[in-house]
Each structure stands twice: as structure tokens, then as C-alpha cells.
Amino acid sequence: MSSPVVSSNTLLGALVLFIATYVGWRWTNLWRFYHTLRGDMHLVNLRAHQKYGPVVRTGPNHLDLDLPGLIKTVYSSDGRWRKTDFYPPASNVMDGRVVDNLFSLQDPAQHARQKRPVAKHYSLAGVLSLEPYVDETIRLLCRMLEERYMPARSGGDGEGETGERFSPGFDLGQWIKMYTWDVIGQITFGKHFGYLRAGRDFDGHLWLSDKGADYLASVSQIPWLDRLIDKNPLFPVAGATALLGPTLQYLEERYAAARDDGHHNPHDDAAAAATTQPPDFLDKFLEAQREHPDVVDRRQVVGYLSINMLAGADTTAIAIKAVLYYALRTPGVWPKLVTSVRAALDDSTAEEEAVPSPYAELRAANRMPYLEAVVREALRMHPGVAMVLPRYVPADGLELPGGLGVVPPGTSVGMNPYVLGRNRGVWGPDADEFRPERWLRYGHGHGQKEEEEEAEDEETEEGYAARLRAMNNADLTFGAGSRVCLGKHLGLLQVYKVVATLVARYDLELVDPAKNWWVRCAFFLRQRGPDVRIRRRRRG
Ligand code: HEM
């Protein structure tokens, strides 16, 4: 649905209608600030919609919408729906100057200019070139888990064919977080940060990234606060900028290495021939600097690097943890996932040092439809980003459906992926249930609502395509339009490969299936856990 052209008189009338219609009045941005500090904004948004309907006022100039039909309008690619002042706090300060990044930029022209030199590196083809880095990190994750929780095979103690018991319980989620951070270090700088090897957050950076998210999510509700704190030119108090510390350090190291011996510089033919490592993101960004000197300077390279850290590691960890948590605790799902993944993969995946087949091969051939369904369902139930993604209404206003009125230009409107994921109009009365089958074709061996419905309830191909389209159209997990997530392919590659590897190699169970996990919404919907027990896969 596109926005209608509205005359100024109509707009005045619309404004009155607007004021009269909306419930859930909020005269100050402070309550959003408060709930962001509390970490329950996703639930507050959801309950508000359950109580007041699809349009809720959440501040003097803010409207929160639960209208999937408007996603294509509000998150369009036409450059008219600008990101609001919510975003600039995510910029960093370097050498006393504010450095914008692809996430924080508001101006569409500047954003397009900054995105052009690097977009191809985040395409599926670009990301596949980084797959060896992901594989290497998955191997390291497995090695560390085995050393710590599955020491040498004992055999013959009556505990099954491999003779192995389940380990004591531990927080697998923390290992997943260390895995995604090490992947980001590896693909960005060609070097793990070292969390997996250390088995802990040895430099406090993972903790710092959580605190950075807490800071950003809350000051972004009252953006001038950030200008007093992080962006204060006189007395800066590090906010988002603190996250840049390790990035700058690695950047300096890599600049120095490139200067000293040309190591791993893809433009140095001798060095390129001597290394089997594919170029990492820093190589690619430095190449962008050479190719587009008018757009990319050294600060810009830091902007690109910082976004990988800021947007790429925690979101991916959240997704993987959600997949494991929901699949393990929902009756019937884990055994089905295990059967389908193990059937699709070569048995050698369970062996030492192995990771599943190339990502493109697995997904293109749709060899693991149930894993695909589980991932999509986990992202619906627990999206990595669970706050409203706000945009300014452009000059011609926004007509709401169902006679709800016209929203005046300049109003901040947006939708929350978490709320959209529970919209009963799209997902049905079981929207709160984790049911991967909803992503599959009913009646084809894996997709029926109830087993007994299978025979009479075969879904046609067209029917399934239409249903899938409706679900895809309501999905804001990765944002949409010109500001859609740049790292979607990269994130999903990491999710699929690590989950498939864990399922293929190990038996897993939750320590306490009845226990709900700890969740906190600070833009990212981060969790603690899942706490699991693990053992090597049993044969037979
Ligand atoms: C499963 C993992 C991920 C999820 C769920 C996710 C989610 C999102 C969402 C919802 C947005 C839109 C935010 C908005 O409109 O306010 C976004 C933007 C973005 N994401 Fe991701 N993300 C993931 C992984 C990644 C990775 C791995 C990277 C890069 C290494 C990345 C880089 C970005 C960037 C650069 C943007 C801003 C795009 C722009 O405005 O042009 N993301 N992400």
C-alpha cells in the first residue's frame, strides 16, 4: 500500500482525527526510556497492542504500529522514509569526530553512497567466500566443547555404544556467543578474538557489548542525551564508542602488518599466492578505499568495521540460541530435527574436525527443510531485534487502513518484529506456539497441523506458495526495504552451519526443560542459556 497524497487541510483534519483516535497516550519519551532500562520493551509493546489495537501512541511524536500490510510502505526502498533520530547514537567517535556507519546514517543519499562500495561483499556470493572462516571456527567450537565437556571416549561402561554419559549442565549460549564473536573477528580481521580458546570473556569485551546495547537502546529514546554523553565534544563519556576499542586495536595491527610485509594483502600478488586464506572484510574495505577514495577514507573503514561488531555478532548468537532453546524444549521438535538433519548429511559430519557440506549446496538443494522451518520459526518467536524500527512519515502523510486516519508528516512511526511475529491475523490463534510445521507444506510428510489431518488435508502447491508469501510479507526479522539487514546471508550461514553441526555430532538435552530463560530487550533481545547437557552422538 502506498501513501496517499494529502492536502494540508486534510492533514489538519487528519491531525484532529489522529489525536481523537489513538489510545495509549504518552506525553513523554521517558516511559520508553524507563522500559528500555528495564529491558521489557518487547512485552510492553505487545501488551499495548493486545489492549489497544494495531495503532498505539508511545510518545509525543511516536506511533507504534502492528500493521503488517504497511511494512512495504514504511520500510520502502524509495528513500522517502528516513530513519529517525533514534539511530545516530549508534555512530562512533574517532579522533574527536563522529563517524557514522551504515546502521546509524539517516540521510538516504549518504547511506546509498556509503553502502555502494561494500554491498557486494555481503551478498550471498560475497559471503560464501568467507565460509572457510566460519568452518574453521565451528571446528574450534567443537574441539573446545569436546575437551571440556566430553573428555576422551571411555567405552564399555554400560552407557550406550560409545560408552559416553551426558556432561554436567553448562551454558551453551555463552559458547555460542563466543563462537559468533570469534567468527566476526576471523572474517573481519582474519583473526579470532580468542574467546573460544580461552573459554571465557577474557577481556570483558562481550560484557561490554551487552552494556553498549543497554546504553544505546535507552539513550536512543531520548537522543539528545547521547550528545551530552558519548558525542559530547568537551567531556565525552564513552557510550557506543567504548565498543570501538578492540576494533581500533585490530585495525592498527593490520595496518602495521600490511605495511611491514604485505601479509594477507590481496593486492600484493606474492603475498596473495603465499596464503590460502581468503580475503577478510578488512582486506575488502581497504580495497574499497583504493577503488573509491572519494567516499572511503580511514574513518569510513572504521565505520564499516565497527558495524560488523555492533550489528553482526550478538544478533547471530541470539538467533542460534533461540533455535536451540525452542527446538530442545518443544515436545517432538528436537527428535524430528535430529532425524532430518542426520539423514541429509553425510555420516562423516559426526567425525572429528568435520562440518556440514557447503552452505550453498545444502540450502539451494533444500536438503534440510525441517531445519529451515525450525530456524524461521525460532526467529519469529524470538527475533534478534525486538524494538520498534522507527521512520519519519514523509511529506504526503500516511493513510492508515480501516479508516484509522492519516498520520501527519514528520511523525515517527514503526513496527516491532517481535509484535509482528505474534500477529494473530497472520499467524493464527496459535501465534504464541513454536510450531515449525507452519513453514512447511501441509500434508506432505512434515507440514500438517495434526498428524491425522495428513490424508485429507493436502495443501496444494499454489496454496502453500500463497501462505508462505503472506508469512514472508509479515516478517520484519531482518528489517526491510533499503535499510534491510546487510548481514542477513552472513548471519544465516553461521546459524545453519553451526546448528547442523551440533545436531549431527552431539546429543543435547536441556538441563531443565520447564524453566523459562532469562531475556532482556535492549534493541537486541538477548538471553542467558540455554543450559544443556551434551554427549557425543550415539550410533545405531
Ligand atoms: C540473525 C542475525 C541478524 C539479525 C536478526 C539482524 C537483524 C537486523 C535488523 C532487524 C536490521 C534492521 C534495523 C533497522 O531497520 O533499524 C538490521 C540491520 C543491519 N544489519 Fe543485521 N541482523 C543480523 C545479522 C547481521 C550481520 C551478521 C551483520 C554484519 C556483519 C549485520 C549488519 C547489519 C547492518 C549493516 C544493518 C544496517 C543496514 C542499513 O541500514 O543499511 N546484521 N539487522
Side-chain angles (χ1 to χ4, degrees):
M1 175 181 172
S2 61
S3 309
V5 177
V6 184
S7 74
S8 54
N9 275 349
T10 319
L11 278 179
L12 197 64
L15 185 63
V16 176
L17 183 65
F18 169 81
I19 291 170
T21 304
Y22 300 126
V23 281
W25 284 97
R26 301 293 174 186
W27 294 102
T28 161
N29 293 319
L30 278 174
W31 83 273
R32 286 202 323 277
F33 183 73
Y34 166 74
H35 281 292
T36 316
L37 284 180
R38 277 177 58 107
D40 61 359
M41 200 66 202
H42 59 309
L43 298 175
V44 170
N45 283 163
L46 182 66
R47 287 183 201 129
H49 283 293
Q50 285 166 348
K51 189 166 175 194
Y52 298 116
V55 182
V56 175
R57 186 169 188 171
T58 57
N61 191 40
H62 291 266
L63 280 188
D64 174 2
L65 310 177
D66 181 14
L67 292 167
L70 283 184
I71 289 180
K72 283 200 164 63
T73 304
V74 176
Y75 304 99
S76 69
S77 296
D78 61 12
R80 295 181 324 122
W81 291 76
R82 291 165 67 102
K83 281 192 166 181
T84 67
D85 291 348
F86 172 88
Y87 290 91
S91 299
N92 301 111
V93 178
M94 186 185 170
D95 304 336
R97 279 177 53 184
V98 174
V99 182
D100 296 318
N101 56 52
L102 285 169
F103 175 76
S104 66
L105 270 170
Q106 290 175 284
D107 179 60
Q110 254 183 303
H111 171 260
R113 201 170 127 85
Q114 215 181 88
K115 185 170 168 179
R116 208 167 300 124
V118 296
K120 64 179 177 204
H121 303 310
Y122 293 88
S123 67
L124 182 58
V127 161
L128 290 179
S129 75
L130 298 166
E131 195 168 352
Y133 284 137
V134 178
D135 289 352
E136 188 186 327
T137 315
I138 293 178
R139 282 191 198 97
L140 181 60
L141 168 68
C142 292
R143 205 178 315 139
M144 300 316 296
L145 289 178
E146 286 170 22
E147 273 176 31
R148 216 167 259 239
Y149 304 108
M150 295 165 273
R153 294 165 191 257
S154 46
D157 63 356
E159 291 296 321
E161 284 188 27
T162 60
E164 303 222 17
R165 298 165 191 269
F166 272 110
S167 70
F170 67 98
D171 181 356
L172 179 58
Q174 182 64 8
W175 284 94
I176 294 299
K177 184 163 171 141
M178 296 191 289
Y179 152 76
T180 58
W181 274 91
D182 270 355
V183 169
I184 282 291
Q186 183 79 335
I187 62 179
T188 307
F189 306 107
K191 189 173 159 186
H192 288 142
F193 284 114
Y195 297 117
L196 284 174
R197 259 180 227 290
R200 64 192 179 89
D201 178 15
F202 64 89
D203 58 0
H205 189 64
L206 304 188
W207 175 84
L208 191 64
S209 89
D210 287 347
K211 297 302 130 194
D214 290 348
Y215 169 82
L216 274 182
S218 44
V219 296
S220 298
Q221 308 300 333
I222 307 180
W224 56 262
L225 275 181
D226 184 60
R227 294 195 281 277
L228 289 182
I229 306 172
D230 192 51
K231 313 293 184 299
N232 186 329
L234 298 177
F235 305 106
V237 184
T241 299
L243 279 172
L244 254 193
T247 304
L248 288 175
Q249 183 195 326
Y250 277 90
L251 180 64
E252 293 304 341
E253 281 174 20
R254 283 292 306 277
Y255 264 127
R259 194 183 53 231
D260 293 347
D261 59 7
H263 168 71
H264 200 191
N265 176 350
H267 299 276
D268 174 332
D269 289 344
T275 175
T276 51
Q277 270 195 312
D280 54 40
F281 270 111
L282 181 51
D283 293 321
K284 294 168 190 230
F285 297 154
L286 293 174
E287 180 188 311
Q289 188 178 0
R290 278 186 291 273
E291 285 174 359
H292 305 269
D294 52 324
V295 183
V296 186
D297 59 11
R298 190 167 180 278
R299 279 198 197 87
Q300 188 54 61
V301 171
V302 173
Y304 290 143
L305 293 170
S306 69
I307 199 66
N308 275 14
M309 320 278 134
L310 193 78
D314 287 330
T315 44
T316 306
I318 290 168
I320 298 166
K321 292 195 233 178
V323 169
L324 295 170
Y325 173 79
Y326 280 106
L328 280 165
R329 85 193 306 247
T330 311
V333 172
W334 190 257
K336 201 164 165 181
L337 184 65
V338 167
T339 308
S340 64
V341 167
R342 290 182 185 174
L345 295 175
D346 196 286
D347 256 9
S348 64
T349 308
E351 302 304 326
E352 307 263 316
E353 300 293 304
V355 289
S357 329
Y359 176 71
E361 209 180 277
L362 285 178
R363 280 200 83 196
N366 198 17
R367 274 170 55 198
M368 296 190 289
Y370 196 64
L371 174 60
E372 179 97 27
V374 167
V375 170
R376 295 218 59 182
E377 184 70 346
L379 288 172
R380 178 184 76 82
M381 292 292 287
H382 194 109
V385 171
M387 272 167 56
V388 169
L389 313 178
R391 303 290 187 267
Y392 286 127
V393 174
D396 48 1
L398 169 68
E399 185 178 359
L400 298 172
L404 283 170
V406 178
V407 183
T411 310
S412 162
V413 300
M415 298 180 221
N416 182 336
Y418 184 87
V419 172
L420 289 171
R422 282 165 173 72
N423 181 304
R424 284 172 198 273
V426 176
W427 309 102
D430 65 353
D432 293 335
E433 270 174 48
F434 182 79
R435 195 169 61 79
E437 285 73 14
R438 75 176 81 241
W439 294 96
L440 301 168
R441 193 171 153 196
Y442 295 140
H444 282 261
H446 42 223
Q448 67 280 1
K449 281 180 181 166
E450 304 288 344
E451 295 296 334
E452 60 270 22
E453 283 177 23
E454 182 169 7
E456 68 266 33
D457 201 12
E458 286 237 330
E459 191 174 32
T460 62
E461 210 171 317
E462 301 76 50
Y464 172 59
R467 200 166 55 81
L468 191 59
R469 209 165 31 248
M471 294 194 291
N472 286 338
N473 288 343
D475 181 8
L476 199 61
T477 309
F478 289 96
S482 53
R483 307 305 296 262
V484 69
C485 174
L486 194 60
K488 180 174 175 177
H489 294 301
L490 183 56
L492 287 177
L493 182 142
Q494 292 176 63
V495 174
Y496 279 92
K497 293 209 80 170
V498 84
V499 173
T501 306
L502 293 175
V503 170
R505 289 174 69 96
Y506 309 119
D507 293 334
L508 285 167
E509 64 179 25
L510 286 177
V511 170
D512 182 356
K515 189 178 147 201
N516 291 330
W517 58 359
W518 177 95
V519 169
R520 180 181 168 84
C521 178
F523 195 61
F524 299 155
L525 193 56
R526 73 175 186 266
Q527 331 91 323
R528 268 189 216 135
D531 289 337
V532 303
R533 286 188 279 263
I534 195 168
R535 70 178 176 202
R536 281 195 182 81
R537 167 182 172 178
R538 286 178 159 195
R539 297 284 175 177

